C-alpha cells in the first residue's frame, strides 16, 4: 500500500511539474506569413515572441502537416542572437522531431533571458498542392486550380496573446487572386500584389489539438504543365586520356495536371495551338535544359530511337549552353515521358589539378548535382560517377539536399567496380553511386550559383596506368594477334608443301 501511494505521489508530482513547464511559457505575438512561390513550394515563415521562459530547455512547436511527408526544409532562427553581435550563442537553434505529437522540440538550453524572438521557417514540398479537378473535358480547359489546406487558428501547446496571418501569391501570371473555401470570409485582400490577411487578429488562443481546429482550403490558378521527375539517373564518365567528360542522363517525367477525359487527337491539339498562337497550355510540348558552357556532341533519344527535334544554343557571353528539346508528342496530364539526353565537355572544366608526386597526380572533381530544365520537381535521383581504372579516391562530399533531422532522405553513397571496354586488368574502374530518395526539390533551387549543390571528389591517378597501360596492353594484344595470324599462315603454307 505504501509503495502504491509513493508511486501515485510521484506521478502527481511529474504531472504538476509538466503542467508548470507548459504554462510557464507564453507566446506574446505570433505572426505567420505563407508564400506561394514560383518553385511550386510553400514557404511558411513563423515569427514568435515568447516570454516567461524561466528555466525551460525545450520549446514545442506543433506542425500542421506531417513532418516526413510534406516538409522539405525547416530552420529555427534566434533573431536576438542574430541582431546582437555581442551575443555568444548561435543564431540557428537545434531541434528534434517528436513523431508522437508531430511537433519539433526546439532546444533553448543555455538561453538565460526571459524573452525570445525566433523565426521558424518551413519549406513544404509540392506534394502538399493538390489539383482541384482530376479530369478536364477538352484542351481548352487550360486554366485550372491548385489548393492546399490551412488551419484557421494555429496549433499550439501554449497560450497565444495575439495571432496574425498573411498569405502571399508571388507567382508570375495574369492573376494574383486567391480563392478560399465556400462561404469563407476570414481573409481579405490587402492589395493588388496577391497579399491577403485575416480580417481581424485572433486574440487569446488557448492550447489546443488538431481535432479542435477548423481548416480552410486556399485556391489559386495555373495554366502550364506541372512536371515531376519521378526518376532521374545521371551517369558521368571521366577520361583523362582523351581529356573529356561525358554526361548521360535518363529521365522519367510525369505531367501532374488533370488528365484529358477523351482520347487525344492530334488534329484537335493543332487547332488548339493555332488558337493559342503556338501555345500548348497544360501540355508539355517543348522545354530547355541548361548545360555547362562549351558542351559538344549532343544527343537526344527516347525508347523509339534518336530524336532530331533538338537544338543547341551556345551563349558566348554567358556561362552556360541551352539544349532545346521537343518530344515526339505533347505530354498531357498523367502521361509519362521517358527519354535520354547526353553531351560531352572538356574534363578540365570540372577536374582541377592539385598536386603531383612520384608519378601520381591529385585532382579535385567538382560536379553540379544536376543540370537540366527549370521548374521540374525531382523526387528520386541517382548520380553515377565512373572514374578511370587505377584511380584512388581520397575523399568525397555529396550535399544534403534535405538535411532535416530524423529523416532518411540524406544521400546514400556507394562504391562499385565498373568494367569498361578492354578493362581486363585487376584495377577496375571505380563507380561512385550517390542516391537521393524522395527529396521533392525544385530544379530551380539546385541551379542557384554558390549554393550547396555540388559534388566534390578528390582522387589520385597513376600516370602510367591512366595514360599508357591500357594503350600498351591493346597494342600488345594487336601485335600478338598479327603474329598469330602470320604464324598460322606460315604453318599452313608449310603443310601445303
Amino acid at each position: 500500500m505504501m509503495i502504491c501511494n509513493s508511486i501515485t505521489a510521484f506521478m502527481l508530482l511529474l504531472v504538476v511539474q509538466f503542467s508548470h513547464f507548459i504554462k510557464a511559457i507564453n507566446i506574446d505575438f505570433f505572426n505567420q506569413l505563407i508564400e506561394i512561390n514560383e518553385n511550386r513550394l510553400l514557404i511558411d515563415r513563423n515569427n514568435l515572441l515568447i516570454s516567461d521562459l524561466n528555466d525551460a530547455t525545450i520549446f514545442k512547436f506543433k506542425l500542421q502537416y506531417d513532418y516526413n511527408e510534406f516538409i522539405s526544409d525547416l530552420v529555427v532562427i534566434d533573431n536576438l542572437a542574430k541582431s546582437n553581435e555581442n551575443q555568444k550563442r548561435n543564431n540557428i537553434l537545434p531541434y528534434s522531431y517528436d513523431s508522437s505529437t508531430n511537433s519539433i522540440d526546439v532546444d533553448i538550453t543555455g538561453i538565460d533571458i526571459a524573452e525570445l524572438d525566433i523565426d521558424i521557417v518551413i519549406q513544404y514540398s509540392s506534394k502538399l498542392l493538390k489539383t482541384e479537378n482530376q479530369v478536364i473535358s477538352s484542351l481548352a480547359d487550360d486554366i485550372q486550380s491548385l489548393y492546399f489546406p490551412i488551419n484557421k487558428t494555429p496549433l499550439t501547446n501554449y497560450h497565444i496573446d495575439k495571432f496574425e496571418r498573411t498569405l502571399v501569391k508571388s507567382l508570375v501570371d495574369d492573376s494574383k487572386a486567391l480563392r478560399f473555401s465556400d462561404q469563407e470570409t476570414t481573409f481579405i485582400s490587402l492589395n493588388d500584389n496577391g497579399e491577403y490577411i485575416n480580417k481581424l487578429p485572433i486574440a487569446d488562443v488557448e492550447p489546443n489539438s488538431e481535432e479542435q481546429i477548423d481548416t480552410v482550403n486556399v485556391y489559386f490558378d495555373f495554366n502550364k504543365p506541372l512536371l515531376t521527375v519521378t526518376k532521374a539517373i545521371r551517369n558521368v564518365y571521366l577520361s583523362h586520356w582523351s581529356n573529356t567528360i561525358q554526361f548521360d542522363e535518363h529521365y522519367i517525367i510525369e505531367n501532374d495536371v488533370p488528365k484529358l477525359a477523351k482520347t487525344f487527337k492530334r488534329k484537335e491539339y493543332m487547332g488548339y495551338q493555332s488558337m493559342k498562337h503556338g501555345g500548348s497550355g497544360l501540355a508539355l510540348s517543348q522545354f530547355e535544359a541548361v548545360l555547362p558552357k562549351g558542351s559538344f556532341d549532343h544527343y537526344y533519344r527516347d525508347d523509339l530511337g534518336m530524336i532530331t527535334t533538338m537544338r543547341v544554343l551556345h551563349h558566348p557571353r554567358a556561362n552556360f549552353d541551352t539544349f532545346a528539346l521537343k518530344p515526339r508528342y505533347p505530354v498531357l496530364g498523367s502521361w509519362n515521358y521517358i527519354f535520354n539526353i547526353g553531351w560531352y565537355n572538356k574534363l578540365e572544366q570540372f577536374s582541377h589539378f592539385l598536386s603531383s608526386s612520384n608519378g601520381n597526380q591529385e585532382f579535385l572533381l567538382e560536379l553540379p548535382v544536376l543540370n537540366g530544365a527549370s521548374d521540374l520537381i525531382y523526387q528520386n535521383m541517382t548520380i553515377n560517377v565512373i572514374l578511370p581504372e587505377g584511380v584512388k579516391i581520397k575523399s568525397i562530399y555529396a550535399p544534403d539536399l534535405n538535411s532535416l533531422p530524423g529523416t532518411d532522405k540524406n544521400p546514400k553513397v556507394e562504391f562499385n567496380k565498373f568494367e569498361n571496354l578492354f578493362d581486363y586488368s585487376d584495377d577496375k574502374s571505380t563507380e561512385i553511386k550517390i542516391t537521393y530518395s524522395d527529396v521533392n526539390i525544385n530544379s530551380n533551387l539546385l541551379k542557384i550559383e554558390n549554393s550547396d549543390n555540388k559534388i566534390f571528389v578528390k582522387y589520385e591517378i597513376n600516370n602510367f596506368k591512366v595514360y599508357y597501360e591500357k594503350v600498351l596492353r591493346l597494342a600488345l594484344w594487336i601485335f600478338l594477334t598479327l603474329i598469330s595470324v602470320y604464324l598460322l599462315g606460315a604453318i599452313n603454307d608449310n603443310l601445303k608443301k
Side-chain angles (χ1 to χ4, degrees):
M1 187 67 178
M2 291 180 63
I3 294 175
C4 291
N5 290 337
S6 299
I7 294 175
T8 303
F10 178 71
M11 294 299 294
L12 286 173
L13 179 62
L14 286 179
V15 170
V16 170
Q17 287 182 344
F18 182 75
S19 300
H20 172 74
F21 169 75
I22 291 293
K23 292 178 180 178
I25 295 179
N26 185 74
I27 300 176
D28 300 338
F29 181 64
F30 186 164
N31 183 24
Q32 183 183 40
L33 171 65
I34 300 178
E35 178 189 0
I36 309 162
N37 67 18
E38 278 291 330
N39 297 322
R40 282 172 63 192
L41 301 172
L42 296 179
I43 308 298
D44 183 5
R45 297 177 174 87
N46 302 274
N47 177 244
L48 300 99
L49 301 179
I50 307 166
S51 63
D52 301 330
L53 293 175
N54 297 327
D55 296 325
T57 59
I58 293 294
F59 174 77
K60 295 186 75 70
F61 182 79
K62 284 188 175 181
L63 303 170
Q64 177 179 353
Y65 311 108
D66 184 79
Y67 179 83
N68 291 311
E69 185 174 2
F70 294 115
I71 295 180
S72 58
D73 201 3
L74 191 154
V75 63
V76 183
I77 303 171
D78 181 354
N79 291 319
L80 295 179
K82 182 175 66 173
S83 61
N84 190 347
E85 296 181 357
N86 295 324
Q87 294 281 356
K88 294 183 179 180
R89 64 179 188 268
N90 194 343
N91 68 309
I92 303 298
L93 297 178
Y95 63 89
S96 58
Y97 173 59
D98 183 357
S99 59
S100 62
T101 59
N102 192 39
S103 61
I104 60 168
D105 295 341
V106 182
D107 186 358
I108 55 176
T109 304
I111 299 180
D112 54 355
I113 56 176
E115 295 183 348
L116 189 61
D117 179 0
I118 64 173
D119 282 338
I120 300 178
V121 183
I122 307 172
Q123 178 178 284
Y124 296 110
S125 76
S126 61
K127 290 193 294 184
L128 189 61
L129 301 176
K130 307 295 183 183
T131 54
E132 183 179 16
N133 300 318
Q134 301 301 314
V135 177
I136 56 175
S137 58
S138 70
L139 295 171
D141 296 334
D142 54 6
I143 298 180
Q144 294 294 310
S145 296
L146 290 169
Y147 75 91
F148 62 96
I150 58 173
N151 292 329
K152 287 189 176 182
T153 55
L155 287 167
T156 179
N157 279 329
Y158 315 101
H159 178 270
I160 301 174
D161 292 344
K162 183 180 179 182
F163 172 74
E164 293 181 351
R165 174 188 283 141
T166 303
L167 299 173
V168 179
K169 181 187 177 186
S170 59
L171 301 177
V172 180
D173 55 21
D174 295 333
S175 173
K176 293 283 186 179
L178 296 177
R179 294 181 287 109
F180 302 92
S181 302
D182 292 339
Q183 319 245 328
E184 179 55 47
T185 58
T186 306
F187 299 94
I188 60 173
S189 177
L190 187 61
N191 51 42
D192 294 332
N193 294 324
E195 295 187 17
Y196 291 75
I197 61 171
N198 286 88
K199 277 186 176 180
L200 296 172
I202 301 174
D204 294 321
V205 180
E206 297 296 335
N208 52 41
S209 62
E210 193 170 355
E211 293 75 17
Q212 299 171 299
I213 303 296
D214 293 328
T215 61
V216 56
N217 289 334
V218 182
Y219 297 84
F220 61 95
D221 295 338
F222 70 96
N223 59 357
K224 63 181 182 179
L226 302 176
L227 304 178
T228 299
V229 181
T230 58
K231 184 179 181 181
I233 301 176
R234 178 176 224 198
N235 297 314
V236 183
Y237 302 89
L238 277 69
S239 174
H240 279 266
W241 192 82
S242 62
N243 189 32
T244 58
I245 182 169
Q246 179 189 359
F247 295 89
D248 178 84
E249 299 183 344
H250 172 76
Y251 287 92
I252 301 178
I253 293 181
E254 182 176 356
N255 193 353
D256 292 330
V257 302
K259 63 183 179 181
L260 189 63
K262 56 185 179 181
T263 303
F264 168 74
K265 296 180 180 179
R266 188 173 287 274
K267 180 180 178 182
E268 292 182 6
Y269 176 71
M270 294 175 67
Y272 169 80
Q273 278 196 309
S274 177
M275 181 179 64
K276 292 292 183 177
H277 306 288
S280 56
L282 301 177
L284 172 66
S285 62
Q286 59 184 0
F287 59 101
E288 293 184 348
V290 177
L291 307 184
K293 183 177 181 179
S295 58
F296 58 94
D297 288 352
H298 308 80
Y299 58 87
Y300 172 34
R301 65 173 183 265
D302 60 12
D303 291 342
L304 298 178
M306 297 297 292
I307 303 175
T308 57
T309 51
M310 67 175 189
R311 184 176 56 170
V312 180
L313 300 176
H314 299 281
H315 308 284
R317 297 183 180 181
N319 197 33
F320 62 88
D321 295 338
T322 304
F323 199 4
L325 309 171
K326 188 174 182 179
R328 296 179 190 271
Y329 52 85
V331 182
L332 302 182
S334 300
W335 288 16
N336 286 332
Y337 182 49
I338 304 173
F339 66 96
N340 279 64
I341 60 173
W343 68 93
Y344 288 81
N345 277 91
K346 289 295 183 181
L347 181 60
E348 60 203 28
Q349 292 179 242
F350 300 92
S351 184
H352 312 295
F353 174 77
L354 296 179
S355 63
S356 176
S357 64
N358 300 324
N360 296 325
Q361 292 181 313
E362 192 171 83
F363 292 85
L364 178 65
L365 179 66
E366 180 182 359
L367 284 175
V369 171
L370 57 84
N371 300 106
S374 300
D375 295 324
L376 297 180
I377 298 294
Y378 283 82
Q379 287 187 345
N380 303 290
M381 296 185 294
T382 301
I383 297 98
N384 299 314
V385 182
I386 295 90
L387 300 170
E389 58 183 282
V391 164
K392 293 181 180 179
I393 298 174
K394 297 285 188 174
S395 62
I396 181 171
Y397 169 77
D400 267 340
L401 304 181
N402 186 317
S403 56
L404 292 173
T407 67
D408 56 357
K409 300 178 182 179
N410 297 333
K412 180 182 179 182
V413 180
E414 301 174 90
F415 298 92
N416 303 305
K417 291 297 182 181
F418 184 87
E419 188 166 297
N420 281 307
L421 186 64
F422 301 116
D423 196 358
Y424 300 120
S425 67
D426 294 333
D427 295 324
K428 303 294 183 184
S429 298
T430 301
E431 178 188 56
I432 304 172
K433 184 177 182 179
I434 305 170
T435 305
Y436 293 92
S437 301
D438 197 24
V439 288
N440 281 285
I441 190 168
N442 194 294
S443 59
N444 299 344
L445 303 178
L446 292 176
K447 294 189 290 184
I448 298 175
E449 286 294 328
N450 301 320
S451 62
D452 186 16
N453 58 9
K454 291 185 177 180
I455 297 168
F456 293 91
V457 180
K458 184 186 286 187
Y459 64 95
E460 184 181 81
I461 67 171
N462 181 275
N463 292 338
F464 176 76
K465 288 186 177 181
V466 169
Y467 293 109
Y468 306 112
E469 185 178 58
K470 181 177 287 190
V471 176
L472 292 175
R473 192 187 312 128
L474 287 172
L476 179 60
W477 288 344
I478 294 172
F479 175 75
L480 291 176
T481 301
L482 294 175
I483 290 296
S484 300
V485 171
Y486 172 76
L487 292 177
L488 288 173
I491 294 173
N492 187 47
D493 290 340
N494 290 330
L495 290 175
K496 287 181 178 180
K497 293 179 181 180

